């Protein structure tokens, strides 16, 4: 909605008004499809103000029209989308979006438009949507849930998710420093200056484009200079210091243990890539000390309809004037309970803005303020409050406000009205304690400021200035100098210098503010009119009181029941008022209610920033074996296996995928097949304590494993659940090679290092991941020995010379090779490991030597059918993070002799792991041999017409077996091994398939073929 433009083009000095804008550079932009102009240096919010746009969005629940409320990152209302296609970014605060030429911006959470939103009907139906209504409404009847779900999904969210790939790129940066100063206001600047001049390596960050904090919109004198000139001198000197890094447009989004900070630096303001410049940079900073100078946030007052467009925070009104030379309307009033808001009235009036009145809750007002107001022809209403805001145009524009005297009883009298179109409100200031709380810092209630401030109980993290509850400029500067010097003294490069501290500071001070969490309305006490606390989530005072009546007395319970403080601003400006209302409703002191938990990020963080360079084609690196190019020439069917892409099947143009897989399985069973197994994890383990280490890592024992032999092993986690498996070979005394699953190679190596470095530091063991160093090729089938004998080798492959589970080292066609006689197919099989560079050469050699034996490569799907026919498990298929060895028939692999191994105590002590009716691995034969059960389908004992039905297990793997000429499946079924032959049902896809429970080893149960 547009009205008369509100750019003043003030005659005042540019040092006082419009300090952030460059009127010589015009920026054209669109908002909701309409064309507007602004200046370089504007934010989207200030540019919209200048063009008379009042309504910038709609609230989440009631879809009430909302205008800009704040000046910075605490803004709850003005959430917008900026950019198109590859530059589209939703849920940005218009107060933080820097204007650029060609910007395309849109409002959010409205349909069909922000001026006329169908969802506004929710405001009139608000009695049907009290706090927690969704918990009561959508639970019954259960049959309507699918209808509820559709509505809920349509209503969920704010902005629209991007539909195209982000065209920008992002990067991460790591840094260490002696001191990290968060906040570039007076306190942060002085702290950084004192520490840097004393020799410390300092990083100073601020979320705004310019340093100085809010100093540019209040008046003060330092050493007979305007305080802004004094601050500019500090900034100028800081930028010349080589040991001080200054980062603007940089938000500290999170603090973590050991003084680790994440900083989100916006590099490109045009929301698109500019050459080689990233859009944003995520700094990961480890600091010896941290100074928090994050300032304070002005809190609103809770009066009826305090959310209307044109109602703003007092300090924001002042900031928009000073920085951008814009105001919210033609005539306004200031509503306050403290002295600070008077400064807003005076500054706006002196700039030519019609400020009609200051409405002050306090009956006693400092004489100097009243006198100055009179001199500016501003009427002061002491002991009065705004009790309602009257609007026109469906709530989009203020027509007038109703004010009244507040009586001792809490009632109102002497009702009158003022014709204004904007209101500045100030309920005091809340120290920004959020980052301090991120690391577990505790807060305490300060009755002087009527808010919580930090206890400063975290070593090496210190809050200074307004975020520490100090609001006097004189005291802020003294505290900042002392803190900066003290921190510098702890640094190794400390040098004693004489700092130029100010001798004379003149600034206004605040007298006691009036505490009043709730302002009564014209109507019946606390009824009818909405008093908003959380502006984004539409939480009102009435919601808090309802939560108390329904038994939600804990502040965390109230937060979740009402959604207070759960919006994207995390209740930065509204939480204290909500806590006050909660405390009054419970008849307790507010300090006993405490605050809710503040968590990172401080402001929302784009996924692109989190991902950094791990985006687009680098989102997950695709690892390739040495034989990958051969696979790409001979098949188009691949599947992801961890970070690898393995051939799914090698089908010809005339074949279907199913036929190709079936032929590959048959060829392995009848002739010989070739498989690239290079992706299997390989970890080299050496050292005098290697066997002790393996005995602790695996559930089975390796103490009696001889050199030249292999052993299959299971790895468990602390809870006793299977996490990995594989074959370990003993190459020499104290030297082993461990094989893991392809997807688990990196995590298992990391787990091994973790145990060595944290728990078993006495063990003399060296761990070296060597997955990429070796190509490993499987040759499997009854003719595999014939193929190897046809190759030139110094290894004897005969059954008497090379037994099952042996490992031998030698040469194959002149290439150094390590050969394992192990089998995952149930056939005579060898795995050959050679240096990775020889992988393709060996592959081609084996194909050539096996040509007369009908050798053919086979893919991962044939591999899975072969192993399923044999009854071998795959970690991740037959296990799901809750499976123990006994569940899959491998209970014998849990050693009873070893004193300890990972998971042993859980297996012995946890009753749940020893109950008889656990799910156990079984095989399944469907009654129709051609019916293949889907992976994951649930098994039930009794089929009913409709859910719910009792689930007794699920299918873990399912295939059509060409060997058995029928479908087979493996499943985890409750007490499955005692249910052999039982008929169970699998309902899915509007049909029911029955199957009988059989042994999960379908083929060659005695293992004769692999031992031949």
């Amino acid at each position: 909605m547009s009205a008369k433009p509100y750019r003043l083009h003030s005659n005042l000095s540019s040092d006082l008004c419009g300090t952030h804008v460059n009127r010589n550079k015009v920026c054209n932009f669109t908002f909701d499809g309409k064309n507007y102009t602004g200046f370089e240096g504007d934010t989207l919010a200030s540019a919209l103000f200048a063009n008379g746009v009042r309504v910038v969005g709609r609230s989440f629940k009631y879809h009430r029209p909302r205008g800009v409320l704040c000046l910075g990152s605490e803004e709850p209302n003005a959430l917008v989308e900026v950019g198109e296609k590859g530059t589209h970014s939703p849920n940005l605060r218009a107060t933080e979006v820097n204007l650029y030429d060609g910007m395309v911006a849109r409002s959010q959470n409205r349909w069909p438009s922000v001026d006329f939103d169908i969802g506004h009907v929710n405001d009139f139906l608000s009695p049907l949507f009290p706090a927690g209504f969704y918990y009561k409404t959508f639970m019954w009847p259960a049959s309507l849930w699918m209808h509820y779900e559709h509505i809920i999904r349509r209503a969920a969210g704010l902005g629209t998710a991007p539909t195209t790939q982000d065209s920008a790129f992002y990067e991460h940066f790591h840094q260490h420093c002696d001191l990290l100063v968060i906040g570039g206001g007076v306190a942060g600047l002085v702290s950084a200056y004192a520490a840097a001049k004393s020799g410390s390596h300092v990083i100073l960050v601020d979320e705004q484009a310019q340093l100085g904090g809010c100093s540019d919109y209040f008046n003060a004198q330092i050493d007979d200079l305007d305080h802004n000139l004094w601050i500019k001198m500090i900034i100028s000197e800081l930028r010349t210091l080589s040991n001080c890094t200054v980062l603007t447009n940089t938000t500290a989004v999170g603090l973590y243990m050991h003084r680790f900070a994440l900083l989100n630096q916006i590099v490109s303001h045009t929301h698109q890539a500019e050459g080689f410049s990233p859009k944003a940079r995520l700094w990961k900073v480890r600091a010896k000390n941290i100074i928090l100078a994050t300032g304070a946030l002005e809190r609103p007052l809770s009066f009826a309809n305090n959310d209307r467009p044109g109602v703003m925070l007092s300090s924001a009104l002042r900031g928009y004037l000073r920085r951008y030379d814009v105001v919210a309307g033609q005539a306004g009033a200031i509503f306050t309970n403290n002295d600070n808001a008077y400064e807003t009235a005076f500054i706006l009036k002196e700039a030519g803005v019609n400020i009609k009145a200051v409405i002050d809750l306090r009956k006693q007002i400092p004489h100097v303020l009243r006198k100055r107001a009179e001199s500016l022809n501003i009427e002061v209403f002491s002991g009065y409050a705004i009790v309602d805001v009257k609007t026109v145009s469906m709530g989009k524009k203020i027509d007038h406000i109703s004010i009244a005297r507040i009586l001792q009883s809490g009632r109102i009298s002497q009702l009158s009205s003022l014709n204004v179109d904007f209101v500045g409100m100030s309920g005091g200031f809340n120290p920004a304690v959020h980052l301090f709380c991120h690391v577990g810092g505790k807060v305490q209630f300060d009755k002087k400021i009527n808010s919580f401030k930090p206890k400063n109980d975290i070593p090496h993290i210190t809050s200074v200035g307004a975020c520490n509850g100090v609001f006097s400029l004189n005291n802020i500067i003294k505290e900042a100098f002392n803190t900066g010097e003290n921190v510098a003294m702890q640094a190794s490069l400390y040098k004693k210098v004489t700092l130029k501290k100010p001798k004379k500071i003149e600034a206004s001070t605040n007298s006691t503010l009036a505490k009043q969490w709730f302002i009564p309305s014209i109507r019946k006490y606390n009824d009818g009119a909405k008093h908003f606390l959380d502006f984004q989530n539409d939480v009102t005072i009435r919601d808090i009181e309802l939560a108390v009546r329904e038994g939600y007395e804990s502040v965390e319970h109230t937060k979740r029941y009402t959604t207070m403080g759960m919006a994207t601003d995390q209740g930065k400006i509204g939480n204290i008022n909500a806590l006050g209302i909660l405390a009054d409703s419970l008849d307790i002191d507010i300090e006993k209610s405490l605050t809710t938990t503040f968590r990172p990020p401080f402001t929302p963080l784009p996924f692109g920033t989190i991902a950094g360079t791990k985006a687009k084609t680098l989102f997950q690196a695709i690892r390739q074996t040495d034989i990958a190019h051969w696979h790409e020439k001979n098949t188009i069917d691949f599947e992801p296996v961890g970070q690898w892409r393995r051939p799914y099947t090698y089908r010809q143009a005339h074949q279907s995928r199913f036929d190709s897989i079936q032929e590959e399985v048959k060829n392995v069973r009848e002739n010989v097949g070739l498989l690239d197994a290079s992706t299997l994890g390989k970890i080299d383990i050496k050292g005098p304590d290697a066997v002790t280490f393996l005995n602790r890592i695996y559930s089975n024992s390796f103490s009696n494993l001889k050199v030249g032999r292999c052993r299959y092993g299971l790895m468990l986690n602390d809870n006793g659940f299977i996490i990995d498996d594989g074959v370990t070979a003993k190459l020499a005394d104290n030297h082993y090679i461990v094989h893991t699953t392809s997807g688990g190679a990196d995590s298992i190596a990391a787990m091994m290092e973790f145990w060595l470095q944290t728990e078993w530091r006495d063990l003399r063991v060296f761990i070296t991941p060597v997955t990429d160093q070796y190509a490993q090729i499987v040759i499997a089938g009854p003719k595999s020995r014939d193929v190897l004998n046809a190759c030139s080798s110094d290894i004897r492959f005969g059954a008497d010379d090379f037994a099952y589970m042996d490992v031998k080292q030698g040469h194959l066609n002149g290439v150094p090779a390590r050969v394992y006689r192990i089998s995952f197919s149930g056939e005579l099989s060898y795995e050959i490991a050679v240096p990775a560079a020889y992988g393709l050469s060996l592959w081609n050699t084996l194909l050539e030597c096996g040509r007369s034996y009908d050798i053919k490569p086979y893919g991962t799907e044939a591999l899975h059918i072969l192993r399923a026919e044999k009854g071998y498990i795959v970690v991740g298929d037959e296990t799901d993070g809750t499976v123990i060895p006994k569940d899959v028939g491998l209970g014998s692999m849990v050693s009873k002799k070893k004193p300890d191994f990972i998971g042993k105590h859980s297996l012995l002590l946890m009753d749940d792991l020893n109950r008889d009716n656990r799910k156990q691995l079984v095989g399944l034969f469907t009654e129709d041999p051609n019916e293949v059960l889907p992976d994951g389908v649930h098994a039930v004992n009794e089929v009913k017409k409709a859910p719910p039905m009792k689930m007794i297990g699920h299918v873990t793997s399912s295939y059509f077996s060409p060997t058995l000429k029928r479908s087979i499946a493996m499943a985890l079924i409750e007490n499955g091994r005692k249910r052999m032959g039982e008929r169970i049902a699998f309902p899915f896809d509007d049909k029911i398939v029955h199957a009988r429970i059989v042994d999960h080893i379908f083929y060659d149960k005695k293992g004769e073929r692999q031992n031949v």
Side-chain angles (χ1 to χ4, degrees):
M1 176 181 174
S2 299
K4 183 178 177 181
Y6 296 119
R7 182 88 70 179
L8 288 185
H9 295 285
S10 173
N11 292 324
L12 297 181
S13 167
S14 61
D15 290 335
L16 294 178
C17 288
T19 56
H20 281 34
V21 296
N22 176 12
R23 289 189 173 87
N24 294 319
K25 187 168 183 180
V26 174
C27 295
N28 297 292
F29 70 101
T30 66
F31 182 71
D32 282 346
K34 295 181 181 179
N35 296 318
Y36 300 101
T37 60
F39 295 126
E40 182 184 60
D42 266 320
T43 62
L44 178 58
S46 67
L48 291 173
F49 265 139
N51 285 277
V53 178
R54 293 176 176 272
V55 180
V56 295
R58 293 278 175 163
S59 65
F60 179 69
K61 184 176 175 182
Y62 299 134
H63 287 251
R64 287 166 68 99
R66 291 284 169 78
V68 175
L69 181 70
C70 308
L71 187 63
S73 62
E74 70 275 20
E75 173 60 43
N77 291 340
L79 299 184
V80 297
E81 299 177 356
V82 174
E84 296 179 294
K85 296 182 180 180
T87 64
H88 175 216
S89 297
N91 298 326
L92 301 177
R93 289 168 171 78
T95 53
E96 293 186 299
V97 175
N98 291 287
L99 194 69
Y100 59 88
D101 192 47
M103 175 185 283
V104 176
R106 290 172 298 280
S107 55
Q108 299 184 160
N109 196 44
R110 79 290 183 275
W111 186 83
S113 71
V114 72
D115 282 333
F116 180 74
D117 183 7
I118 294 296
H120 192 205
V121 69
N122 289 355
D123 193 23
F124 301 102
L125 300 176
S126 59
L128 300 176
F129 307 121
F133 77 95
Y134 26 80
Y135 298 120
K136 306 165 188 174
T137 305
F138 302 123
M139 300 300 291
W140 58 274
S143 60
L144 289 180
W145 169 249
M146 298 307 293
H147 299 285
Y148 295 147
E149 182 186 30
H150 177 73
I151 297 171
I152 291 170
R153 288 188 180 277
R154 287 293 300 271
L158 292 170
T160 57
T163 56
T164 57
Q165 193 175 67
D166 192 343
S167 62
F169 70 95
Y170 306 81
E171 64 183 20
H172 290 181
F173 197 88
H174 296 260
Q175 186 63 281
H176 289 75
C177 63
D178 295 321
L179 174 64
L180 172 64
V181 180
I182 300 175
V186 175
L189 288 169
V190 171
S191 298
Y193 169 77
K197 291 289 285 184
S198 300
S200 292
H201 174 206
V202 178
I203 297 177
L204 170 66
V205 304
D206 192 85
E207 65 182 3
Q208 299 185 61
Q210 300 187 34
L211 297 173
C214 62
S215 62
D216 57 342
Y217 54 86
F218 71 84
N219 298 318
Q221 293 284 318
I222 299 178
D223 288 342
D224 296 324
L225 290 174
D226 180 85
H227 73 294
N228 283 301
L229 294 177
W230 185 85
I231 289 170
K232 286 179 180 178
M233 290 192 298
I234 294 289
I235 295 172
S236 177
E237 189 161 358
L238 273 176
R239 292 190 182 278
T240 64
L241 299 176
S242 60
N243 60 322
C244 182
T245 302
V246 178
L247 301 175
T248 54
N249 291 308
T250 304
T251 302
V253 292
L255 285 190
Y256 304 87
M257 301 303 293
H258 309 295
R259 298 171 301 285
F260 179 73
L262 286 181
L263 314 176
N264 180 29
Q265 181 186 21
I266 304 301
V267 180
S268 172
H269 294 295
T270 61
H271 294 270
Q272 53 192 347
E274 296 179 347
F276 294 101
S277 175
K279 179 178 177 179
R281 181 180 294 120
L282 186 66
W283 289 67
K284 301 179 180 182
V285 178
R286 184 80 68 181
K288 294 180 181 177
N289 291 276
I290 294 176
I291 290 179
L292 299 176
T294 48
L297 303 172
E298 191 167 28
R299 60 177 174 263
L301 289 163
S302 304
F303 56 94
N305 295 313
N306 59 341
D307 68 320
R308 295 305 192 185
V311 178
M312 297 178 61
L313 295 180
S314 165
S315 58
L317 283 174
R318 198 158 75 223
Y320 281 108
L321 174 68
R322 282 288 176 88
R323 292 180 178 178
Y324 312 108
D325 203 13
V326 295
V327 292
Q330 303 299 314
I334 306 298
F335 181 26
T336 184
N337 67 351
N338 62 82
D339 293 354
N340 187 275
Y342 282 82
E343 192 75 12
T344 299
F346 300 153
I347 288 175
L348 264 65
K349 190 74 172 182
E350 289 170 349
V353 181
N354 182 13
I355 299 297
K356 290 190 173 183
V358 174
I359 300 108
D360 197 329
L361 281 167
R362 301 171 299 176
K363 291 183 174 62
Q364 301 297 324
I365 300 172
H367 177 70
V368 64
L369 295 179
R370 187 181 289 274
K371 186 176 180 180
R372 188 176 175 192
E374 291 174 356
S375 69
L376 293 171
N377 198 27
I378 300 174
E379 189 172 2
V380 176
F381 293 88
S382 57
Y384 275 73
I386 296 178
V387 293
D388 202 1
V389 176
K390 299 294 185 180
T391 60
V392 293
S393 301
M394 294 291 291
K396 295 191 284 287
K397 180 181 179 182
I398 297 175
D399 182 68
H400 67 275
I401 58 174
S402 298
I403 66 172
R405 181 176 292 279
I406 305 297
L407 302 178
Q408 191 74 23
S409 63
R411 303 283 179 167
I412 61 176
S413 68
Q414 296 179 253
L415 184 66
S416 59
S417 65
L418 285 173
N419 292 322
V420 297
D421 59 357
F422 73 91
V423 173
M425 57 178 170
S426 176
F429 291 84
N430 303 323
V433 299
H434 308 75
L435 291 175
F436 183 73
C437 292
H438 284 182
V439 286
K442 305 300 182 184
V443 296
Q444 58 190 348
F445 192 77
D446 187 334
K447 293 184 179 179
K448 291 182 180 179
I449 63 174
N450 213 31
S451 190
F452 288 91
K453 68 179 184 181
K455 286 186 177 180
N456 278 328
D457 55 348
I458 304 294
H460 304 290
I461 298 180
T462 309
S463 299
V464 299
C467 75
N468 194 36
V470 178
F471 295 118
S472 163
L473 182 61
N474 186 47
N475 292 336
I476 288 173
I477 292 177
K478 285 182 180 178
E479 182 182 59
F481 267 114
N482 291 337
T483 304
E485 286 181 291
N486 291 339
V487 168
M489 290 177 66
Q490 302 173 29
S492 57
L493 299 177
Y494 173 72
K495 57 183 180 181
K496 189 172 183 179
V497 296
T498 301
L499 300 173
K500 298 177 182 178
K501 300 180 181 180
K503 298 177 181 179
K504 180 181 177 183
I505 299 175
E506 296 179 7
S508 59
T509 57
N510 275 342
S511 60
T512 304
L513 54 78
K515 186 187 85 169
Q516 187 147 352
W517 305 118
F518 168 75
I519 312 298
S521 64
I522 297 173
R523 307 171 197 178
K524 186 178 179 181
Y525 182 76
N526 197 21
D527 183 50
K530 294 181 176 69
H531 300 63
F532 285 92
L533 299 170
D534 187 310
F535 289 81
Q536 191 175 119
N537 275 357
D538 280 336
V539 181
T540 65
I541 290 177
R542 185 178 182 183
D543 293 327
I544 300 295
E545 294 182 342
L546 175 63
V548 171
R549 289 198 300 273
E550 298 204 355
Y552 294 93
E553 298 183 358
S554 163
V555 63
E556 293 291 359
H557 291 164
T558 302
K559 169 184 175 179
R560 284 154 181 80
Y561 188 68
T562 64
T563 71
M564 176 66 213
M566 292 177 66
T568 58
D569 66 329
Q570 294 195 56
K572 287 184 174 66
I573 60 173
N575 263 10
I576 298 299
N577 287 341
L579 292 174
I581 297 296
L582 177 63
D584 285 353
S585 300
L586 294 171
D587 196 23
I588 61 173
D589 292 334
I590 187 173
E591 50 262 45
K592 293 182 180 178
S593 67
L594 297 179
T595 63
T596 55
T597 302
F598 298 117
R599 298 181 177 90
F602 177 74
T603 54
L605 191 63
F607 283 111
T609 307
I610 297 171
T613 56
K614 295 179 180 178
K616 304 181 178 71
T617 57
L618 296 178
F619 172 69
Q620 179 167 313
I622 298 177
R623 300 169 70 177
Q624 292 185 326
T625 72
D626 190 59
I627 314 169
H629 294 302
W630 189 95
H631 301 320
E632 290 171 357
K633 291 179 180 178
N634 288 274
T635 185
I636 58 172
D637 279 346
F638 289 86
E639 72 166 341
V641 180
Q643 291 182 321
W644 307 88
R645 296 296 180 269
R646 296 182 67 178
Y648 187 79
T649 184
Y650 298 87
R651 65 185 175 96
Q652 303 301 311
H654 65 277
Q655 287 180 306
S656 68
R657 176 183 274 190
F658 175 81
D659 290 341
S660 174
I661 294 167
Q662 297 286 296
E663 286 190 15
E664 288 175 0
V665 174
K666 289 179 183 178
N667 193 61
V668 172
R669 294 284 183 226
E670 297 171 2
N671 300 304
V672 59
L674 206 59
L675 175 79
D676 182 3
S678 305
T679 63
L680 287 176
K682 296 174 278 289
I683 303 173
D684 191 279
I685 296 180
K686 291 181 180 179
D689 298 318
V691 69
T692 302
F693 176 72
L694 290 175
N695 279 336
R696 295 181 184 180
I697 287 289
Y698 284 100
S699 66
N700 50 318
S701 177
F702 285 81
S703 298
N704 59 353
L705 183 63
K706 297 179 180 180
V707 174
R709 292 289 289 167
C710 303
R711 180 164 294 168
Y712 175 72
L714 286 178
M715 289 186 195
L716 314 179
N717 61 16
D718 287 334
N719 297 319
F721 301 134
I722 297 172
I723 59 170
D724 206 274
D725 69 342
V727 172
T728 296
K730 187 172 183 178
L731 305 180
D733 288 335
N734 304 325
H735 184 192
Y736 299 81
I737 188 81
V738 169
H739 292 93
T740 73
T741 57
S742 296
D746 294 337
S747 61
I748 294 301
M751 182 202 74
M752 289 179 172
E753 282 289 358
F754 170 83
W755 282 97
L756 269 183
Q757 295 185 30
T758 61
E759 300 296 331
W760 306 329
R761 298 172 65 184
D762 58 315
L763 295 186
R764 296 163 296 170
V765 178
F766 293 94
I767 296 173
T768 308
V770 293
T771 301
D772 292 324
Q773 276 66 48
Y774 292 95
Q776 196 144 316
I777 299 171
V778 176
I779 180 169
K783 299 179 182 179
S784 57
R785 184 181 289 138
D786 298 328
V787 175
L788 291 176
N789 285 329
C791 298
S792 171
S793 178
D794 54 7
I795 301 172
R796 299 172 67 89
F797 296 101
D800 296 334
D801 302 308
F802 204 152
Y804 181 61
M805 296 301 279
D806 274 357
V807 58
K808 294 187 180 296
Q809 301 187 74
H811 294 79
L812 200 63
N813 271 32
V815 176
R818 183 184 299 138
V819 185
Y820 312 86
R821 189 179 163 189
I822 54 182
S823 178
F824 196 49
S825 61
E827 298 295 333
L828 173 65
S829 176
Y830 301 86
E831 291 193 18
I832 308 165
V834 296
Y838 294 99
L840 181 59
S841 174
L842 175 63
W843 180 269
N844 288 326
T845 295
L846 292 172
L847 286 174
E848 182 63 30
C849 293
R851 181 178 298 177
S852 60
Y853 300 100
D854 293 322
I855 192 170
K856 292 179 182 178
Y858 63 100
T860 56
E861 187 65 4
L863 167 72
H864 280 286
I865 294 176
L866 291 163
R867 67 90 191 171
E869 291 175 345
K870 184 61 181 169
Y872 291 142
I873 70 166
V874 168
V875 174
D877 286 355
E878 278 62 54
T879 69
D880 60 0
T882 65
V883 171
I884 62 174
K886 186 167 64 173
D887 295 339
V888 290
L890 298 175
S892 61
M893 296 192 65
V894 177
S895 173
K896 297 179 180 178
K897 296 180 180 180
K898 291 196 300 184
D900 200 8
F901 58 86
I902 298 173
K904 178 178 180 179
H905 295 287
S906 294
L907 293 177
L908 292 176
L909 300 176
M910 291 181 65
D911 292 338
D912 182 66
L913 301 187
N914 294 289
R915 56 184 170 84
D916 293 333
N917 66 336
R918 284 184 62 84
K919 293 179 183 178
Q920 297 170 341
L921 186 66
V922 296
L924 296 173
F925 278 161
T926 55
E927 292 184 343
D928 178 357
N930 294 313
E931 181 78 55
V932 179
L933 291 166
D935 287 349
V937 66
H938 290 173
V940 297
N941 252 341
E942 181 184 358
V943 178
K944 298 180 180 179
K945 291 183 178 180
M949 289 177 266
K950 185 182 184 321
M951 199 249 316
I952 60 171
H954 66 280
V955 172
T956 60
S957 300
S958 181
Y959 311 95
F960 189 89
S961 165
T963 308
L964 279 69
K965 295 181 174 57
R966 62 157 300 122
S967 71
I968 62 172
M970 301 167 75
L972 287 168
I973 303 295
E974 286 182 6
N975 206 17
R977 284 192 284 273
K978 291 185 178 181
R979 306 172 77 155
M980 288 296 160
E982 187 175 318
R983 182 174 184 261
I984 56 176
F986 296 87
F988 65 94
D989 291 343
D990 297 325
K991 65 180 178 179
I992 299 169
V993 175
H994 289 90
R996 294 201 177 273
I997 298 177
V998 298
D999 194 317
H1000 70 283
I1001 302 176
F1002 302 99
Y1003 174 77
D1004 189 25
K1005 188 168 184 177
K1006 293 182 179 180
E1008 295 172 348
R1009 294 181 66 87
Q1010 65 190 21
N1011 284 291
V1012 66

